[in-house]
Amino acid sequence: MSSDSISIQPISSSTKSVAKKKVHIETWGCQMNVADSERMLSLLEANNYELTNSGPDNADLILLNTCHIREKARHKVLSRLGVLDQLKAQKPGLKIAVTGCVAQADGKKLVELAPQIDVLIGPGKIDELPRLLRERDITGESAVATGFDRHNEDIHQKVDDHQTLGDEPMIHIPSVTGKYEVNRFVNIIQGCNNFCTFCVVPFTRGREISRSMTEILQEVRYMVSQGAKEITLLGQNVNSYGLDLIGCDDVPEDGGPFVELLKAVAETPGVERLRFTTSNPHDFTKPLADLFASHPKLGLYMHLPVQAGHDRTLERMKRKVTIDQYMQRIEWLRASAPNIAISTDLIVGFPGETEEEFEATLRLLEKVRYSFVYAFKYSSRKGTAAARFLDQVSEDEKDRRLAKLNELQDKITLEHVLAAIGSVKDVLFIYNSKKDPRIWVGKTLDYRTVRVCSEANLAGKTLPVKLTSGNKIALIGELVQ
Ligand code: SF4
């Protein structure tokens, strides 16, 4: 059943005394999915649902927000749907919604394989969730919406119970954990125009569509009003934020709308720390690097994915930068913030990657001395250009390369850890351990995880911590009195 066939209005305010329905949300994958889940929960709350944290058994609606970045994504979703189908058999009226990248990639095919899906929505259509749930009720058929339209309508305008916060409509973006959260994520741009040859994002998330700066700032102000101290702006390619809004293909020399947005968010009262991810080096400008000097809220950390250390591999990946250009960006960052911690993503065993090219990646690690590296074996993704390359690297060889790369990076990471021990760093505390609530976990400005033991509630506090020991995962410290 097409999503366009029936027009359904949101539930009117006169129905609000009806007992609320429960929604259970499972979010897989990246932080962008977490932010999407929060936006869908916001819409559901305005339509008489509330989040349940007591598992799927008590839910009226189960929402699976899926991820397509790894192989066998569809298999994982189908296996979860198989389990939930048994629950559905015991509980007539239970609805199952599948959203996210698997929903976009597989669309109606997934509904044919799993008819227990009541609603299926791609990431570009999440604001249609309440309408599709009603459509499902009326037609009795699965409701499907995929694709990517530019929509100028603010998602919050679909919420029919505006209150006011000062002189602006009060929005509500709940946390999917249902808890107070110190660090919140804000999606600023969907999709990607780059078509790196290994990546499915342009197919599952579509082309770049930026949200308006007004809408983003409104959401940031709301999150701060709810206690957030750290805001992370998200996009598959955040650096090209706003190019679609100003009609440009390339980032202007002054850094363009993204630099403007970062300044505006950093100047928002109550934002203590500001981060952003993910950056493509091709769109990373010097004015953006310069912000790390002029805007200390950006902290001392930058994730700049390089993916490979040799120009030939980068060209075959269609990354649109050379290693020299990438190193120039590292120099800009280090000139702006000499102690900045830098991390990266790397793929080993990309089709056609020779031993010499792999060795160049190891040399890059030695040269940049990243704080952390997220390294993966290349995995072929259906529909991408690299999946059709004939010179695939064997799994054994990928394993060998990954182990060698990790061994080198572990050594470098440990050197950074040892250098930090004995120093005092400001730590923003985010949560405490479920097993032992006295163990508090926070982040330094250079994005290291720090654990301390304290009887006091430290959530949301930024406190000086003396670092006493640590490993490649986390540092241990003591609060400085
Ligand atoms: S820039 Fe990032 S999201 Fe876009 S195609 Fe390349 S790897 Fe994928």
Side-chain angles (χ1 to χ4, degrees):
M1 165 68 55
S2 153
S3 64
D4 299 327
S5 57
I6 293 178
S7 167
I8 295 162
Q9 300 306 312
I11 296 167
S12 75
S13 53
S14 63
T15 61
K16 281 177 188 156
S17 56
V18 173
K20 287 189 185 294
K21 294 181 183 173
K22 310 264 186 228
V23 55
H24 164 83
I25 300 180
E26 296 180 16
T27 307
W28 302 337
C30 66
Q31 292 158 339
M32 290 199 73
N33 264 13
V34 174
D36 279 351
S37 288
E38 290 182 347
R39 287 161 71 81
M40 286 187 280
L41 181 57
S42 169
L43 290 165
L44 289 169
E45 285 187 345
N47 283 276
N48 211 40
Y49 279 88
E50 66 184 4
L51 184 70
T52 172
N53 283 318
S54 53
D57 291 1
N58 298 319
D60 301 291
L61 169 65
I62 296 171
L63 195 152
L64 306 180
N65 194 5
T66 62
C67 169
H68 200 276
I69 208 73
R70 298 270 163 262
E71 260 183 312
K72 300 188 182 142
R74 184 202 291 165
H75 178 78
K76 190 176 165 189
V77 175
L78 286 172
S79 122
R80 185 68 183 129
L81 284 168
V83 174
L84 295 178
D85 199 27
Q86 293 168 19
L87 190 60
K88 208 171 173 180
Q90 296 158 16
K91 193 173 175 185
L94 169 66
K95 288 199 187 76
I96 297 176
V98 177
T99 65
C101 291
V102 174
Q104 175 58 40
D106 287 6
K108 287 182 181 164
K109 267 191 292 178
L110 193 64
V111 178
E112 282 159 22
L113 284 170
Q116 65 268 47
I117 297 173
D118 295 285
V119 169
L120 179 136
I121 313 179
K125 299 278 184 180
I126 58 176
D127 50 351
E128 297 194 24
L129 176 59
R131 184 176 75 76
L132 293 176
L133 285 167
R134 298 296 302 270
E135 181 179 315
R136 169 72 181 88
D137 279 345
I138 291 170
T139 65
E141 292 180 37
S142 306
V144 175
T146 54
F148 308 96
D149 302 332
R150 167 162 288 289
H151 59 93
N152 296 318
E153 198 174 6
D154 181 335
I155 191 169
H156 309 305
Q157 288 165 7
K158 293 185 178 271
V159 176
D160 65 344
D161 61 347
H162 288 314
Q163 301 164 40
T164 55
L165 177 73
D167 56 359
E168 66 182 35
M170 190 171 100
I171 60 163
H172 178 52
I173 303 286
S175 148
V176 270
T177 60
K179 286 189 269 177
Y180 157 76
E181 294 212 18
V182 175
N183 55 340
R184 298 291 299 268
F185 303 103
V186 179
N187 280 345
I188 64 166
I189 178 171
Q190 286 277 354
C192 183
N193 293 352
N194 280 322
F195 288 92
C196 299
T197 55
F198 54 83
C199 183
V200 285
V201 164
F203 307 104
T204 57
R205 291 263 173 178
R207 305 298 171 275
E208 291 166 4
I209 300 179
S210 304
R211 295 173 68 198
S212 76
M213 198 183 297
T214 310
E215 188 184 332
I216 294 165
L217 291 174
Q218 190 188 7
E219 195 166 308
V220 169
R221 285 194 291 274
Y222 169 76
M223 286 174 170
V224 169
S225 78
Q226 297 302 298
K229 307 282 173 153
E230 178 179 287
I231 299 290
T232 303
L233 304 180
L234 299 175
Q236 270 89 22
N237 183 13
V238 279
N239 306 151
S240 58
Y241 167 77
L243 297 187
D244 52 328
L245 301 175
I246 61 170
C248 272
D249 288 335
D250 291 310
V251 182
E253 276 179 15
D254 65 359
F258 185 51
V259 164
E260 210 183 311
L261 175 69
L262 281 173
K263 286 181 185 165
V265 177
E267 280 153 22
T268 301
V271 174
E272 287 183 15
R273 291 186 181 181
L274 172 58
R275 304 191 188 276
F276 57 90
T277 197
T278 301
S279 291
N280 185 319
H282 173 257
D283 300 313
F284 192 91
T285 58
K286 184 159 185 311
L288 177 52
D290 292 345
L291 284 187
F292 283 85
S294 59
H295 289 69
K297 286 179 186 178
L298 282 174
L300 292 170
Y301 172 66
M302 179 70 215
H303 181 65
L304 196 58
V306 64
Q307 306 297 1
H310 195 284
D311 284 346
R312 179 179 166 273
T313 324
L314 290 178
E315 203 183 330
R316 286 162 59 83
M317 289 177 164
K318 251 190 158 183
R319 290 290 288 172
K320 302 189 207 163
V321 283
T322 61
I323 288 298
D324 281 352
Q325 288 166 332
Y326 180 81
M327 287 308 298
Q328 183 188 46
R329 276 112 180 112
I330 301 283
E331 280 162 26
W332 290 340
L333 281 164
R334 287 188 167 150
S336 183
N339 295 324
I340 196 163
I342 298 172
S343 63
T344 200
D345 292 337
L346 284 166
I347 296 172
V348 297
F350 185 76
E353 183 191 60
T354 63
E355 184 63 22
E356 186 199 328
E357 287 163 22
F358 170 65
E359 294 286 336
T361 299
L362 298 181
R363 286 197 295 278
L364 184 75
L365 295 192
E366 298 271 19
K367 195 166 169 188
V368 178
R369 308 203 73 73
Y370 293 105
S371 292
F372 340 93
V373 161
Y374 303 92
F376 305 95
K377 290 189 290 179
Y378 169 76
S379 92
S380 166
R381 308 316 314 279
K382 203 171 149 210
T384 59
R388 296 189 295 275
F389 292 176
L390 297 177
D391 40 5
Q392 302 285 327
V393 175
S394 74
E395 284 305 310
D396 285 353
E397 183 56 21
K398 286 185 211 169
D399 286 338
R400 186 191 70 80
R401 289 181 191 178
L402 184 62
K404 195 166 175 188
L405 187 148
N406 280 335
E407 190 188 346
L408 171 59
Q409 182 56 40
D410 284 354
K411 220 173 74 199
I412 295 170
T413 301
L414 214 53
E415 282 172 20
H416 286 296
V417 169
L418 290 174
I421 289 173
S423 65
V424 174
K425 297 207 181 221
D426 283 342
V427 176
L428 171 60
F429 288 97
I430 299 169
Y431 64 93
N432 57 345
S433 157
K434 278 189 190 144
K435 277 194 196 151
D436 181 352
R438 294 171 309 154
I439 305 298
W440 285 90
V441 182
K443 290 278 185 188
T444 61
L445 272 177
D446 53 1
Y447 211 59
R448 288 175 201 285
T449 301
V450 175
R451 296 178 207 274
V452 302
C453 185
S454 168
E455 301 283 350
N457 181 350
L458 303 184
K461 293 189 176 136
T462 301
L463 297 167
V465 173
K466 176 151 192 193
L467 303 172
T468 53
S469 61
N471 56 30
K472 63 176 184 170
I473 312 286
L475 286 148
I476 310 293
E478 290 164 0
L479 291 175
V480 175
Q481 298 303 316

